[in-house]
Amino acid sequence: MCVVCGCADSGDKGATMEGGHAHPHHHHGHAYMPANRRVSRRAQAGPDADAPAPAKVDALSGDLHFGAGAARVSVPGMSQSRAIRLEADILGENGRIAARNRARFAAHGVTALNFVSSPGSGKTTLLCATIEALRARAPQWPVAVIEGDQQTTFDADRIRATGAPALQVNTGKGCHLDAPMVAEAFDRLHDGKMGARSLLFIENVGNLVCPAMWDLGEAAKVAILSVTEGEDKPLKYPDMFAAASVMLLNKIDLLPHLRFDVQRCIDFARRVNPRIEVLQLSAVTGEGMDAWLDWLARTAAPASIAGLEAALEDIVRSTAT
Amino acid sequence: MHEASLAGGILQLIEQTARREHFARVTHLRLEAGQLAGVESRALRFALDALAPGTLLDGAVIDIDEPPGEAWCMDCSHTVTIAQRGDACECCGGYRLQPTGGTELKVIDMQVEDL
Ligand SMILES: Nc1nc2c(ncn2[C@@H]2O[C@H](COP(=O)(O)OP(=O)(O)OP(=O)(O)O)[C@@H](O)[C@H]2O)c(=O)[nH]1
Ligand SMILES: [Mg+2]
Ligand SMILES: [Zn+2]
Ligand SMILES: [Zn+2]
Ligand SMILES: [Zn+2]
Ligand SMILES: [Zn+2]
């Protein structure tokens, strides 16, 4: 059996020298691989048993193969080839750590939100304004912030100036935060400071592309789009808006100076994500902040109940043993 | 360039598997990057090439399957093919589509050699 693709017609053992593909077949998706690349790679790996070889290649007799692959076939003691089926999610390891983060957040009653946007859309400004507004409206509600940037601690410094605890994560050349970074940051942040009902804001690296793919364990992704960026962004970067629960349309104080069709932007966002909620606000003038704080309260409430339940389960489990 | 992180994740998966299965090199690696998975397979291939020398992946043939995007239309209840998120339903023209296929990013299988 051909172990890579599972078809039943290959006489494997004798034909394993080149990855067990000593029969011509085209049924497992080589179509996406440019032919020239296949050839050049095979030059390193050995004769190209997978290429459209003369039709009568027979793995057992090996006649046509003998010429093409003589050296490797005839060398005694050549390595054994075998197949391993993995079916493994490439982001699986990140996903496992994100799930652990999520469970920890729930157990602590922490609602974590992952703020994603292009650089300069106003994430840090909005976080500072939100922290100030919450202090007036819900002073019993602690907030902590994890700041992701490639370099500098400017943004964490801006958050700390509001009095909220903040931790800067510099990713160096990395263009997104991942779940292990957040796990470590939360280790350092949460000792004693995060109560039974608290908020954790995670400001991702400014990048509208890949933060969409890395689950951090957040309750929701909050996509910020400022009106100066143009209304077409949800269609140009669909993965981000598809992954977000809410889109905050920021800098609406600038609308009078721009040609930005708000309704068209919202329609585009709904095309890639029919369920996305949209809020319009200005982090500078405070317009629209009340609706945003309402959204926060709504999103955080079920999380704190779930957190309480998880904590209770922990207690039950630990007393049972 | 998140493809570089992904290539690192792939190599990590392979190294983990090698510790368990005791092989010396990979000759053939088959990946799946669905058309809605957010990955540019040319960039991924480039990143893997850059990473491969001196690793278990050195000299490996890499196949990347790219199954098409599929979505369920909430308006007409058909499953349709889409090239990217934000495309209209080819059946009714609506935009209320829920992706159901072509979203996965995984290592399917590999052919390996022992020492
Ligand atoms: N007019 C106006 N300017 C804003 C608003 N929000 C943010 N800005 C300005 O936009 C610029 C960028 O804001 P930041 O908060 O640093 O943006 P950011 O998204 O955190 O940027 P990075 O962390 O570098 O990705 C600053 O000059 C802010 O003063 C707003 O609502 N209205
Ligand atoms: Mg910032
Ligand atoms: Zn086969
Ligand atoms: Zn093959
Ligand atoms: Zn990235
Ligand atoms: Zn339809």
Side-chain angles (χ1 to χ4, degrees):
Chain A
M1 177 174 111
C2 164
V3 278
V4 170
C5 56
C7 67
D9 58 346
S10 162
D12 271 338
K13 274 292 188 240
T16 51
M17 54 283 180
E18 271 44 304
H21 274 80
H23 58 299
H25 66 284
H26 309 277
H27 55 269
H28 63 20
H30 289 209
Y32 299 101
M33 188 184 230
N36 61 346
R37 146 146 217 116
R38 231 184 296 160
V39 171
S40 66
R41 290 308 241 148
R42 278 290 173 172
Q44 292 166 51
D48 189 355
D50 221 7
K56 281 175 294 172
V57 176
D58 180 333
L60 289 174
S61 68
D63 25 358
L64 282 173
H65 262 290
F66 209 70
R72 287 184 64 90
V73 179
S74 58
V75 172
M78 256 334 276
S79 56
Q80 289 290 327
S81 176
R82 64 199 156 98
I84 297 172
R85 196 160 183 87
L86 271 183
E87 293 286 349
D89 184 352
I90 291 167
L91 287 164
E93 183 61 17
N94 184 76
R96 275 184 289 280
I97 295 167
R100 211 184 304 149
N101 289 348
R102 193 164 276 119
R104 273 182 90 193
F105 296 153
H108 285 83
V110 169
T111 301
L113 297 172
N114 181 1
F115 288 79
V116 291
S117 81
S118 52
S121 67
K123 296 180 291 299
T124 310
T125 308
L126 178 68
L127 291 184
C128 292
T130 304
I131 290 165
E132 309 276 2
L134 279 172
R135 187 165 296 137
R137 184 167 144 170
Q140 75 290 358
W141 208 4
V143 183
V145 180
I146 296 173
E147 275 293 338
D149 283 295
Q150 289 197 325
Q151 284 182 195
T152 81
T153 60
F154 293 167
D155 283 1
D157 295 341
R158 286 165 67 190
I159 301 288
R160 284 188 207 110
T162 70
L167 199 118
Q168 182 77 47
V169 177
N170 284 140
T171 59
K173 293 193 172 53
C175 43
H176 56 267
L177 291 174
D178 60 29
M181 292 172 184
V182 169
E184 206 180 315
F186 187 65
D187 279 345
R188 287 160 196 271
L189 252 187
H190 89 292
D191 50 309
K193 291 195 192 91
M194 311 220 64
R197 190 190 191 217
S198 57
L199 282 168
L200 176 63
F201 295 151
I202 305 168
E203 179 177 335
N204 218 312
V205 178
N207 175 349
L208 264 184
V209 184
C210 51
M213 295 181 69
W214 270 266
D215 183 7
L216 306 179
E218 70 273 356
K221 285 190 182 67
V222 178
I224 300 179
L225 178 62
S226 57
V227 295
T228 51
E229 295 169 69
E231 67 228 6
D232 53 3
K233 292 304 168 291
L235 280 190
K236 285 187 173 168
Y237 301 96
D239 294 344
M240 188 60 89
F241 294 89
S245 303
V246 61
M247 173 172 84
L248 303 183
L249 213 46
N250 189 32
K251 307 194 188 179
I252 54 166
D253 56 293
L254 299 177
L255 277 175
H257 309 283
L258 303 164
R259 229 176 287 155
F260 183 96
D261 186 335
V262 171
Q263 191 51 49
R264 193 149 171 263
C265 181
I266 295 172
D267 290 345
F268 286 162
R270 296 250 155 87
R271 267 196 209 180
V272 298
N273 183 351
R275 275 184 285 268
I276 197 165
E277 289 184 70
V278 181
L279 299 172
Q280 302 176 41
L281 51 78
S282 166
V284 166
T285 67
E287 193 183 347
M289 283 296 279
D290 277 341
W292 162 234
L293 295 190
D294 289 344
W295 187 92
L296 280 176
R298 247 186 298 131
T299 306
S304 61
I305 291 166
L308 214 58
E309 282 169 356
L312 281 173
E313 271 170 36
D314 272 353
I315 293 166
V316 169
R317 220 178 295 123
S318 62
T319 50
T321 49
Chain B
M1 281 309 292
H2 59 291
E3 280 81 4
S5 317
L6 294 173
I10 291 167
L11 184 62
Q12 211 181 328
L13 259 175
I14 288 169
E15 284 170 345
Q16 266 168 27
T17 313
R19 279 195 289 279
R20 193 173 69 230
E21 302 268 347
H22 308 291
F23 55 81
R25 63 191 207 101
V26 177
T27 56
H28 197 144
L29 175 68
R30 191 153 60 107
L31 308 174
E32 177 177 316
Q35 284 180 6
L36 302 183
V39 177
E40 188 50 56
S41 57
R42 282 189 60 218
L44 181 58
R45 192 179 283 290
F46 183 82
L48 283 166
D49 274 357
L51 196 71
T55 72
L56 293 169
L57 274 179
D58 206 340
V61 179
I62 297 167
D63 294 348
I64 305 180
D65 291 355
E66 295 173 86
E70 269 180 10
W72 186 76
C73 177
M74 296 183 226
D75 293 327
C76 73
S77 300
H78 281 100
T79 295
V80 294
T81 303
I82 53 173
Q84 62 246 321
R85 290 177 209 269
D87 278 2
C89 170
E90 61 191 14
C91 196
C92 73
Y95 288 105
R96 304 202 317 134
L97 297 174
Q98 184 61 46
T100 52
T103 59
E104 285 194 297
L105 180 60
K106 59 185 181 182
V107 176
I108 302 175
D109 54 24
M110 56 196 176
Q111 189 72 27
V112 302
E113 283 182 356
D114 303 328
L115 262 182

